[in-house]
Amino acid sequence: MTGFRLKSGGAIDRGKPLGFSFDGRTLHGFRGDTLASALLANGERLVARSFKYHRPRGIMSAGIEETSALVTIGSGARTIPNTLASTEELVEGLEAHSQHCWPNLRFDLGAINQLSARLFSAGFYYKTFMGPGNSPKSWLFYERFIRRAAGLGVASREPDPDHYESCEASCDLLVIGAGPAGIEAARVAAEAGLDVILVERDFALGGGLLQESEAIEGINARGWLLTRERSLRGASNVRVLSRTMAFGLYDHGVAGLVERLQPAAGVRERFWIVRAKRIVLAAGALERPLIFGNNDRPGVMLTSALRAYVNRWGVAAGTRIVIATNNDSAYAAASDIARAGIATMLLDAREDVSGPLPEMAKSAGVELRLGGVPVRAIGRQSVRALEVARIDGKAGETIDCDAMGMSGGWSPTQHLLSQRGVRPVWNETLAAFLPGEAREPVRCIGAATGIWRTDDCARSGRAAGAEAAHALGRSAPKEDFPAPGGWDYPIRPWIFGGIKGKAFVDIQNDVTFGDVRQACHEGYDAPELLKRYTTLGMATDQGRTSAVNALAVIAKLRGGPLDAIGTTTFRPPFAPVSIGALAGAERDQHLLPTRRSPMHDALVTQGARMLETGLWLRPWFYPQGTETVDEAYLREMRLVREAVGICDVSTLGKIAVQGPDAGELLDRVYVNAFKSLAIGKARYGVMLRDDGIVMDDGTSWRLGEHEYFMTTTTANAGKVMAWLEELLEMRWPDLRVAVTSVTDQWAGASVAGPLARDLLQALVADLDFSNDAFPFMGVREGSFNGVPCRIARISFSGELAYEIYVPADHGQELWRALLDGATARRGGAYGLEALGALRIEKGHVGGPELDGRATLDDLGLGRMASTKKAFIGGVLRTRPDLQRKDRPQLVGLVPVTKGEIFKGGSILCEGGNETGHGLGWVTSVTESPSLGHWVGIGLLKGGLSEWGGRTLLADDPIRGRRTLVKVVAPHFLDPEGKRLNG
Amino acid sequence: MADRNSSLLHSKPAPALSHRHCAMLLQYHAWPDRYAEMAKNLAMHCELPAPPRPGKAACGARAALLRVHPQRLWLLADRGTAHDHPSIGADTGAMLDLSYARTIIHVEERIVSPLLSRFVAVDLRPQHFAVDDIALTPLHRVSVVLWRRADGIDVLVPRSFARSIWDVLAEAATRLN
């Protein structure tokens, strides 16, 4: 017989049937069911296969502690593997599949692993593939097969179609767990006026009360819960988050939560970061399995789960149930199950239990056997009998059953506290780890502190609520925290002798008693070592049911006390968190913020092809008709060289440097002098890092006695700004300088080409652009269309060129005027591709050359360095290694055969010696319409002085191209500067 | 002078969100020993009894002052030019016009908490972030200033990021709606 739905009972809504499927079979459940309860009710006992041996597995628990019933939910892009059937809320149309089996669940070829189980003992991989005699190569060979066999479910490779979001919240008190303790803590704190967030992993509040048949504080459990829930949900200062798991606690009262939302919300999961002044942990306790042969068989369940299925979901797991226990808690469970009309036998390892407890069980119809322990479950795909023995080792009997409960005691759930570094303390009387003392305002209550009676749990909640209220300056009725415990009879040690067959300590990871024993024999008897050697406590389960059992086994094998062994430290997350929840809304077009230039709309309207460069969207090129990028950029270069081109340079970093010591600051950060720069002049500057390597370059304009306008490269704008702020705050707080990013304040355009002067003169009539009035590197302030503008005569292209800036809101207006003017002069716009090509022709360094390794001398800029002042990097740039003559230095490169091309990234080497890293590399290349062939620049060991005029091979093994190139000076075009001075 | 062209001119409308540019945003930076004097003078100019404390704004008859930095005040005005406001000497500090550098996105009070809690780590509960409280915080990785007003929150966003920030806020606001 398998599980079935009882005719009455449970907190399900029998008026709301729900259809769902499991492995393609259509089944039915009710609203309020979990997938597990619905599967049990439909008689589905075999639901999964195990990790290593592919053993048949069923449903073992009714909550987060499930180790066996891992299934895949959904299909296609919405596939979610490794979902716990015991926590998955049943919804209409839910689609579930078994996993880790082939060709199907009942007939799984992987089960053949059971035959070679002896091979897969503890440390199998280490011994077989990584031990002596096995080279790293052999491991790399085997690894691919091992990885293919490893793991459980398979994730979808399709993009996740669902939405996720993250959310921040702050509160006075965060209560984690809405059982009787958590509910009372939240209620008392809220009534005292605190802002409270109450978090519950389940879709229903109540925790252990949901399966409780006894009264709480004299009131029927469901009635008590209903009243409290209504009051909490109605309170304006309480936020109740059900379906929400607290997965991590962090510094300063920060908690990480994941909330699962209903499909109607349009968001699948919400990631919460909660900042709480105080935290109450009411996470309850988890029942421990017993260790005996075949304790993983379908039908063998935790006793609390059997009770929960009867009381909460109206489902019986079988018709003849045997419950094995060593503690009092199983009595109430057995009684409830018997009252539901199921033949129930209670097998208590203790021999001295008498009085009200056994009387209660007997009166409910439970058959009680004292002094008996389970030895082995019998049955292949489902339990059909249990072999038992006497506690004193004498042979027992075989008892027919179709389901079995086990209760080896309870482990308070302290994972979140452990994450905060709080060590648990072993309590021999309760056979449980109890929470240690937290140094932060985090309070554990209820069953999480080893309090077993429901009334006492509620009382501890009230005490914690009052404690929080008092700590935060509110008043609340004070209550004492009850002591741990609450059982009539002491628990008995739960690792029994006489085990037959495979007895699992970690059911999810297929780690047996024998594996632990072997690991201990081999010296891996410390918890952390055992975990890594055997995989015990790994994966989604994270040792929730196995950790304490493993310690007990080690203690038994060592023959010492359990608390001498030590514990592992739990780390976040408490349970798996989806990648989607972690990413939140920051995906696709919102992965990162995008920066748009003030000219953006005008550029797009004009047909610019935009390119992401860092966060910025910049115009790459402006295609005409069907032009490719290569065709377009060459045309745009010609516009600049022959007429006039305009380019959006708003993205350049712009920093206002103001104050009496502004010049001094620039003198210290640039290698060349700026204090002496005349007002109305600009100067090209290079700044170094402390270690003497080039950091960035750009021009700085002197606008006034105490004001400079610094420009940086687009890529390094943020870095330079942060660098200046750090210098002023940490090294030179005495300097009276203010630095402010004004990148967003200004829209800028470069106007370059022989007709640049003519164009600007037409637009900015109040300035004289003649050579005398506005010389090279001059800075002027004028007005464009009544808007103030600032202009500098500087050139990146080698042409007569200016940069003009206007306030950002007038950027589009400026762009349109410049474009009209340029077009009228047979010029036009040029994009990033042409901008880069123009500077290569001129031999200016850019991002590819400023690669974090080059020095000033490497780039041929050594003469810029002032000898009259100190500057950052000035000392370390003279290190012997940075002064070596054979360092890679900037050179120009042209193909020996003019029609040939070569690529950036090619390795420069002597012909016939194309091995290793070569002599240098090509950094930037372009076709030069002015010269009629390709040109490039690169960094070459020894530079021009050693290789000038000689031929090298530009070897591009990745793209399969080899070109002979001649080493020349890097200034290909107008080295005398006639054009820019024109 | 030509009209100003907002960075959000072509943005799609979104429920409970609106935007405007800063008519006038002046930054006043004082040298450490001159801050008190500068702040007092600016408060007088704005017709405020006292300058705002750190993390606060104060609205005067002529302009509002925001304390955005230990040594800095931002002066915001709905109209006028920089010439309508005090200049400061180099011995006191430095003044800078940032009127074009920020765009203001206004979030109506009714969705302040549900919307902004999805983006910023600031405790926005009214008792913790009251009217005229300000906070400098990342929003979608961009440094913004939040300013609690009587009818919602003004988010002062760097102009180049305004469209991107608007888009993420608008998408979330639409979903909330």
Side-chain angles (χ1 to χ4, degrees):
Chain A
M1 185 69 185
T2 55
F4 59 94
R5 184 80 71 181
L6 296 166
K7 287 202 170 67
S8 61
I12 50 172
D13 187 348
R14 293 179 189 249
K16 295 278 171 50
L18 300 171
F20 71 104
S21 71
F22 180 64
D23 278 348
R25 294 189 305 283
T26 302
L27 305 169
H28 292 89
F30 295 107
R31 193 158 85 178
D33 263 327
T34 61
L35 175 60
S37 67
L39 285 170
L40 271 178
N42 281 275
E44 297 287 339
R45 178 158 281 189
L46 173 64
V47 297
R49 289 279 171 172
S50 76
F51 171 62
K52 195 157 65 172
Y53 302 123
H54 289 249
R55 286 170 67 94
R57 292 282 165 83
I59 292 156
M60 202 196 80
S61 79
I64 190 81
E65 67 273 36
E66 180 62 40
T67 63
S68 297
L70 273 69
V71 297
T72 296
I73 299 294
S75 58
R78 290 197 162 86
T79 299
I80 307 174
N82 302 333
T83 302
L84 302 183
S86 54
T87 60
E88 184 68 15
E89 183 177 358
L90 193 70
V91 293
E92 178 63 38
L94 186 141
E95 186 183 341
H97 304 272
S98 57
Q99 58 185 34
H100 202 52
C101 53
W102 187 85
N104 59 54
L105 182 59
R106 294 207 168 271
F107 179 73
D108 175 21
L109 281 179
I112 201 167
N113 282 1
Q114 293 177 56
L115 300 176
S116 45
R118 282 180 169 277
L119 287 176
F120 300 141
S121 61
F124 166 71
Y125 297 109
Y126 303 110
K127 292 169 186 166
T128 310
F129 302 112
M130 297 173 75
N134 287 301
S135 68
K137 268 191 178 174
S138 62
W139 168 253
L140 291 173
F141 173 76
Y142 291 123
E143 189 185 18
R144 74 187 77 164
F145 302 105
I146 295 168
R147 291 212 179 279
R148 202 172 296 160
L152 286 165
V154 179
S156 169
R157 290 186 175 273
E158 296 175 49
D160 190 335
D162 288 317
H163 290 285
Y164 298 82
E165 63 184 22
S166 56
C167 210
E168 307 266 353
S170 302
C171 63
D172 297 322
L173 180 67
L174 171 66
V175 181
I176 297 170
I183 284 174
E184 284 297 77
R187 182 185 64 80
V188 169
E191 285 174 1
L194 299 188
D195 266 351
V196 178
I197 295 179
L198 175 62
V199 173
E200 171 54 49
R201 180 193 51 73
D202 203 328
F203 53 86
L205 303 192
L209 280 185
L210 294 169
Q211 59 219 42
E212 189 59 69
S213 58
E214 294 170 17
I216 172 169
E217 297 175 326
I219 305 170
N220 165 279
R222 285 199 186 146
W224 186 94
L225 184 56
L226 203 63
T227 311
R228 296 293 196 276
E229 181 171 352
R230 200 175 290 151
S231 141
L232 287 169
R233 290 195 187 274
S236 61
N237 56 336
V238 179
R239 190 182 324 198
V240 179
L241 298 175
S242 54
R243 301 182 178 84
T244 303
M245 178 190 66
F247 65 82
L249 283 191
Y250 305 89
D251 291 348
H252 308 297
V254 173
L257 320 174
V258 174
E259 179 184 12
R260 294 187 65 187
L261 292 122
Q262 299 290 74
V267 174
R268 185 181 201 128
E269 289 181 352
R270 185 177 292 144
F271 184 94
W272 287 87
I273 299 172
V274 176
R275 290 169 175 78
K277 290 177 183 164
R278 299 185 70 84
I279 296 172
V280 164
L281 294 178
L286 300 176
E287 196 172 29
R288 290 191 292 260
L290 290 169
I291 301 170
F292 56 94
N294 295 335
N295 59 348
D296 64 326
R297 281 282 183 255
V300 178
M301 301 168 72
L302 293 172
T303 302
S304 57
L306 290 171
R307 187 188 194 198
Y309 287 116
V310 167
N311 285 346
R312 181 175 172 187
W313 290 291
V315 174
T319 53
R320 298 185 315 279
I321 293 178
V322 178
I323 293 172
T325 188
N326 63 348
N327 66 85
D328 287 5
S329 69
Y331 281 77
S335 301
D336 283 355
I337 295 164
R339 281 191 208 103
I342 301 155
T344 308
M345 176 190 288
L346 183 58
L347 190 70
D348 193 335
R350 301 170 297 182
E351 294 175 298
D352 52 353
V353 178
S354 59
L357 197 64
E359 289 308 317
M360 173 193 73
K362 284 177 191 166
S363 67
V366 176
E367 183 184 347
L368 185 61
R369 301 273 181 94
L370 298 178
V373 294
V375 173
R376 182 173 60 135
I378 298 168
R380 286 196 64 78
Q381 303 235 332
S382 176
V383 63
R384 56 182 172 78
L386 180 68
E387 190 178 332
V388 301
R390 297 290 307 161
I391 187 69
D392 53 16
K394 290 179 185 167
E397 59 185 320
T398 299
I399 303 166
D400 285 347
C401 63
D402 55 7
M404 191 207 150
M406 50 184 175
S407 179
W410 292 77
S411 297
T413 308
Q414 299 169 47
H415 297 67
L416 295 176
L417 204 59
S418 173
Q419 290 174 14
R420 300 305 307 144
V422 178
R423 286 263 166 206
V425 179
W426 178 250
N427 183 305
E428 191 68 38
T429 309
L430 301 179
F433 281 104
L434 303 186
E437 196 173 333
R439 292 177 185 168
E440 297 165 302
V442 180
R443 163 68 79 170
C444 245
I445 58 169
T449 59
I451 296 172
W452 306 138
R453 290 185 192 279
T454 308
D455 284 4
D456 285 346
C457 286
R459 190 147 67 90
S460 75
R462 287 193 292 275
E467 181 185 64
H470 296 148
L472 297 174
R474 305 296 178 116
S475 60
K478 192 167 177 0
E479 193 147 359
D480 292 331
F481 286 94
W487 287 333
D488 294 343
Y489 300 93
I491 186 173
R492 196 185 192 293
W494 68 101
I495 307 299
F496 311 124
I499 295 168
K500 289 184 181 174
K502 281 201 179 308
F504 289 89
V505 181
D506 183 337
I507 295 174
Q508 186 180 83
N509 292 297
D510 273 353
V511 180
T512 64
F513 183 88
D515 290 328
V516 177
R517 182 172 51 201
Q518 183 184 331
C520 288
H521 285 325
E522 294 177 8
Y524 299 100
D525 60 354
E528 297 288 358
L529 291 176
L530 181 76
K531 179 176 181 177
R532 281 148 188 84
Y533 198 58
T534 63
T535 71
L536 186 144
M538 289 188 175
T540 58
D541 174 62
Q542 286 292 297
R544 276 190 281 276
T545 54
S546 62
V548 178
N549 276 357
L551 296 178
V553 171
I554 296 172
K556 187 176 176 71
L557 294 170
R558 275 188 184 178
L562 190 146
D563 57 348
I565 295 166
T567 57
T568 58
T569 300
F570 294 106
R571 284 174 285 269
F574 169 62
V577 177
S578 70
I579 299 293
L582 292 171
E586 292 187 344
R587 54 178 287 187
D588 303 325
Q589 77 273 25
H590 298 318
L591 181 64
L592 290 169
T594 304
R595 296 186 85 170
R596 289 174 174 84
S597 134
M599 274 90 154
H600 180 87
D601 289 345
L603 303 177
V604 171
T605 304
Q606 192 191 328
R609 192 73 56 84
M610 304 303 282
L611 182 71
E612 284 183 23
T613 57
L615 297 180
W616 285 101
L617 284 176
R618 300 181 70 184
W620 184 15
F621 62 102
Y622 299 84
Q624 289 191 349
T626 56
E627 268 185 342
T628 64
V629 58
D630 288 341
E631 292 162 345
Y633 93 83
L634 292 172
R635 176 182 51 75
E636 291 167 11
M637 286 176 77
R638 285 191 203 99
L639 296 179
V640 176
R641 297 285 183 226
E642 295 166 10
V644 58
I646 59 168
C647 180
D648 177 13
V649 294
S650 307
T651 60
L652 288 176
K654 296 176 280 292
I655 298 170
V657 185
Q658 300 170 289
D661 297 320
E664 176 63 27
L665 174 70
L666 296 193
D667 263 7
R668 295 184 190 185
V669 297
Y670 279 128
V671 301
N672 47 336
F674 277 82
K675 206 157 47 177
S676 58
L677 184 68
I679 295 170
K681 295 290 282 184
R683 182 168 289 163
Y684 173 71
V686 177
M687 57 180 74
L688 308 184
R689 304 190 311 223
D690 279 319
D691 62 1
I693 301 293
V694 174
M695 174 193 273
D696 197 51
D697 67 344
T699 58
S700 283
W701 313 3
R702 188 156 196 181
L703 302 177
E705 180 64 25
H706 304 300
E707 184 165 7
Y708 291 79
F709 179 72
M710 173 191 279
T711 67
T712 72
T713 59
T714 299
N716 287 329
K719 188 163 81 174
V720 172
M721 182 66 203
W723 176 232
L724 296 180
E725 286 180 330
E726 182 189 326
L727 292 173
L728 288 171
E729 289 182 13
M730 308 299 291
R731 298 194 200 178
W732 307 317
D734 54 315
L735 290 188
R736 297 201 296 176
V737 187
V739 291
T740 309
S741 170
V742 287
T743 303
D744 288 88
Q745 173 76 3
W746 298 96
S750 169
V751 184
L755 301 179
R757 176 182 290 130
D758 184 46
L759 170 55
L760 279 177
Q761 187 68 75
L763 296 180
V764 186
D766 57 350
L767 287 182
D768 180 356
F769 284 83
S770 68
N771 231 350
D772 292 338
F774 201 156
F776 183 58
M777 297 309 263
V779 174
R780 299 291 181 271
E781 295 191 67
S783 68
F784 157 74
N785 264 4
V787 176
C789 64
R790 53 179 65 160
I791 304 172
R793 186 176 159 187
I794 49 181
S795 178
F796 195 47
S797 59
E799 296 296 326
L800 168 67
Y802 302 84
E803 279 182 14
I804 175 169
Y805 289 94
V806 295
D809 282 0
H810 300 286
Q812 296 199 49
E813 188 186 333
L814 172 68
W815 182 260
R816 281 191 283 265
L818 287 171
L819 185 63
D820 288 347
T823 307
R825 290 166 177 79
R826 299 184 320 280
Y830 65 102
L832 207 52
E833 194 69 26
L835 178 77
L838 290 163
R839 70 100 187 164
I840 297 169
E841 278 189 332
K842 186 62 184 168
H844 282 315
V845 293
E849 290 76 38
L850 306 182
D851 63 355
R853 293 178 292 179
T855 68
L856 210 54
D857 293 305
D858 296 342
L859 300 174
L861 302 171
R863 279 183 296 177
M864 282 179 66
S866 171
T867 55
K868 296 176 182 163
K869 67 174 184 76
F871 56 88
I872 286 180
V875 173
L876 291 182
R877 71 179 281 268
T878 62
R879 280 179 289 164
D881 194 58
L882 297 190
Q883 295 292 314
R884 283 193 350 254
K885 296 293 179 202
D886 64 344
R887 282 184 58 81
Q889 293 162 40
L890 190 73
V891 295
L893 302 161
V894 293
V896 172
T897 305
K898 294 300 181 197
E900 288 195 333
I901 65 172
F902 58 112
K903 294 282 188 182
S906 298
I907 297 168
L908 294 170
C909 45
E910 289 183 284
N913 187 18
E914 299 107 42
T915 55
H917 294 158
L919 298 163
W921 60 96
V922 181
T923 52
S924 308
V925 293
T926 181
E927 184 177 351
S928 167
S930 304
L931 301 173
H933 58 79
W934 281 70
V935 297
I937 53 178
L939 291 160
L940 178 64
K941 286 179 182 173
L944 200 60
S945 59
E946 187 170 340
W947 296 97
R950 293 167 66 181
T951 297
L952 291 174
L953 183 68
D955 187 20
D956 185 1
I958 303 294
R959 287 166 287 198
R961 185 182 292 277
R962 293 151 63 91
T963 309
L964 288 175
V965 293
K966 187 176 171 186
V967 179
V968 297
H971 312 293
F972 300 100
L973 195 78
D974 187 26
E976 302 83 17
K978 286 180 185 165
R979 284 169 176 258
L980 63 87
N981 287 313
Chain B
M1 189 188 288
D3 288 341
R4 292 176 62 169
N5 199 348
S6 165
S7 57
L8 295 175
L9 186 64
H10 300 298
S11 58
K12 289 180 188 166
L17 296 181
S18 58
H19 60 85
R20 65 183 193 278
H21 55 232
C22 291
M24 178 54 52
L25 168 53
L26 298 175
Q27 174 178 283
Y28 291 85
H29 179 112
W31 316 133
D33 55 335
R34 306 303 295 273
Y35 176 78
E37 176 196 336
M38 180 193 79
K40 187 178 159 193
N41 289 339
L42 285 173
M44 279 175 59
H45 166 75
C46 295
E47 298 179 23
L48 287 164
R53 290 178 287 114
K56 293 282 181 187
C59 295
R62 195 173 287 173
L65 290 177
L66 279 67
R67 182 82 180 269
V68 293
H69 180 278
Q71 291 169 246
R72 282 181 186 170
L73 284 166
W74 277 4
L75 182 152
L76 272 89
D78 292 335
R79 63 187 71 83
T81 69
H83 300 298
D84 300 330
H85 302 287
S87 57
I88 57 173
D91 58 334
T92 301
M95 188 184 85
L96 187 65
D97 188 348
L98 293 174
S99 304
Y100 296 84
R102 296 291 185 278
T103 299
I104 299 175
I105 297 174
H106 181 73
V107 182
E108 288 177 19
E109 185 59 42
R110 66 189 171 93
I111 65 159
V112 157
S113 181
L115 179 68
L116 291 182
S117 66
R118 282 160 170 76
F119 297 98
V120 298
V122 177
D123 185 350
L124 295 170
R125 289 176 292 168
Q127 68 271 34
H128 293 271
F129 196 67
V131 171
D132 282 337
D133 278 355
I134 62 169
L136 193 66
T137 181
L139 191 162
H140 193 36
R141 300 165 195 244
V142 177
S143 177
V144 302
V145 173
L146 302 183
W147 180 10
R148 170 77 83 172
R149 315 301 301 268
D151 59 348
I153 282 185
D154 281 349
V155 187
L156 280 70
V157 184
R159 191 190 194 282
S160 59
F161 285 110
R163 182 85 61 87
S164 190
I165 298 297
W166 175 271
D167 287 347
V168 293
L169 290 177
E171 194 175 305
T174 303
R175 193 175 294 129
L176 283 171
N177 210 39

